[in-house]
Amino acid sequence: MANTRQARKRAVQAERRRQKNASQRSMVRTHIKRVIKAINTGDHSAAMAEFRVAQRVIDRIADKHAYDKNRAARTKSRLNARIKALAA
């Protein structure tokens, strides 16, 4: 338990940040699931539309350090590869 006023304040800030980061990571996972769902239906144009939206969300959350930049790049690359394979 935090003993000083500063430590208590930092604990409150950390909890607030943890909850916000968790929410943002959840949003990223939701958008990834939407892309995968569109890929599984076999509709290339719908998959591309969902991917464009997801790409913006992933990049924005990675810039805020709630999602690792390398993980974001890897995720986008893998989704894009699946969409390209769908077109072929």
Side-chain angles (χ1 to χ4, degrees), residues 10-56:
R10 294 297 291 167
V12 169
Q13 288 175 331
E15 178 61 20
R16 196 179 307 138
R17 190 164 42 250
R18 184 190 70 79
Q19 288 179 353
K20 186 172 183 185
N21 286 344
S23 172
Q24 290 177 336
R25 281 191 299 268
S26 174
M27 183 171 58
V28 168
R29 285 192 297 267
T30 300
H31 282 282
I32 291 169
K33 287 176 193 173
R34 287 182 187 172
V35 176
I36 292 171
K37 186 176 180 181
I39 290 169
N40 289 339
T41 61
D43 187 0
H44 182 264
S45 60
M48 277 305 296
E50 287 292 344
F51 179 67
R52 284 190 199 100
V53 174
Q55 196 172 16
R56 287 193 290 269

Side-chain angles (χ1 to χ4, degrees), residues 1-12:
M1 185 61 200
N3 290 320
T4 64
R5 182 169 177 257
Q6 178 184 3
R8 282 193 297 270
K9 179 180 177 182
R10 294 297 291 167
V12 169

Side-chain angles (χ1 to χ4, degrees), residues 33-80:
K33 287 176 193 173
R34 287 182 187 172
V35 176
I36 292 171
K37 186 176 180 181
I39 290 169
N40 289 339
T41 61
D43 187 0
H44 182 264
S45 60
M48 277 305 296
E50 287 292 344
F51 179 67
R52 284 190 199 100
V53 174
Q55 196 172 16
R56 287 193 290 269
V57 170
I58 292 169
D59 285 336
R60 188 172 69 240
I61 302 307
D63 284 341
K64 294 178 181 179
H65 302 290
Y67 205 71
D68 182 62
K69 280 191 180 294
N70 287 342
R71 183 179 183 183
R74 183 173 64 241
T75 302
K76 290 187 302 181
S77 176
R78 288 176 180 172
L79 288 174
N80 196 30

